[in-house]
Amino acid sequence: MRAYKFLDAAGRAPFTSTPWPTDEWIESARVVPCREGVHAVLPDDLAHWLADSLWEVELEDPVVDSRHKVVAARGRLVREVAAYPDAVRELAAVGAWRTRDRAVDALRAEGLDALADAFAAASTLDDLAALGADLDESSWATSAAALAADAAHFALHGLPAQSPFVSVCAAGHFAAGPDGDRAAYDEGYAAERSFQSAWLVERLGILA
């Protein structure tokens, strides 16, 4: 099976620090999702595991399906997805602006039009990040605004996973509304992760 593997800047699996050589198979004695085995991801779940680099991998059957991942006993790197570093930075910016738009809607819903206008007028990620400095996060809408500023900050200065994670949390926060509906939060969070994965698939020309 062909799948994908995220690695850190040193070429290691982010959660286990296992080095992945470019010219040999990685093997595991057992396949236990989240504990043992060679873990990888299919295109529809890419955004759940963002890290420094993305590789196409080959997994030897049998392959076990698990939540947002697949696991096998053997796997090897096939090729690095060269366009990924630029793409994940672009994704962070896309997410920050989507989060800003949700924040503007939330602020207007609470009657905070002046603050909504300030966020709507932001034209750069630096401008958007700076708006978070003096925010009072005591309401649903101002918390949404703070998340937009954070998403912009991490898009500029964070690790690959940070800004997209803030964006999905912001989508959940907005969906939950002032009453904090947990089921709506989960739906909003999942929908934004799906959007991010689909965006990456299209941007990178991956066959889903």
Side-chain angles (χ1 to χ4, degrees):
M1 172 188 282
R2 289 297 171 98
Y4 292 86
K5 181 73 181 179
F6 286 98
L7 300 178
D8 68 15
R12 302 170 302 188
F15 293 95
T16 64
S17 295
T18 300
W20 272 70
T22 58
D23 56 355
E24 60 186 76
W25 289 82
I26 293 287
E27 299 187 10
S28 176
R30 296 197 305 161
V31 174
V32 183
C34 298
R35 293 190 177 186
E36 296 184 55
V38 177
H39 291 68
V41 61
L42 298 180
D44 286 347
D45 290 317
L46 283 174
H48 290 271
W49 307 106
L50 304 174
D52 293 289
S53 66
L54 176 64
W55 291 74
E56 183 182 333
V57 297
E58 180 182 357
L59 302 178
E60 186 175 273
D61 291 331
V63 178
V64 176
D65 286 317
S66 188
R67 187 170 183 264
H68 302 312
K69 57 188 171 292
V70 291
V71 192
R74 297 183 80 227
R76 69 180 182 93
L77 300 178
V78 175
R79 67 175 183 91
E80 186 172 8
V81 181
Y84 167 75
D86 287 339
V88 77
R89 285 191 290 271
E90 292 169 21
L91 175 64
V94 167
W97 293 118
R98 285 167 63 85
T99 302
R100 185 279 304 270
D101 292 345
R102 291 188 175 102
V104 169
D105 290 344
L107 291 166
R108 295 206 189 284
E110 283 193 0
L112 301 174
D113 289 331
L115 192 54
D117 289 344
F119 272 79
S123 60
T124 69
L125 290 175
D126 281 313
D127 291 341
L128 183 54
L131 288 170
D134 299 316
L135 276 176
D136 173 3
E137 300 178 42
S138 59
S139 76
W140 169 70
T142 54
S143 292
L147 286 166
D150 286 347
H153 170 79
F154 287 121
L156 292 166
H157 307 293
L159 299 173
Q162 287 179 299
S163 183
F165 176 70
V166 173
S167 294
V168 295
C169 291
H173 177 79
F174 184 77
D179 294 331
D181 185 302
R182 184 66 205 191
Y185 179 98
D186 291 343
E187 289 178 7
Y189 182 106
E192 192 67 8
R193 273 297 191 216
S194 293
F195 165 82
Q196 291 175 349
S197 293
W199 189 95
L200 279 173
V201 166
E202 182 175 358
R203 170 67 173 77
L204 296 172
I206 290 172
L207 296 178

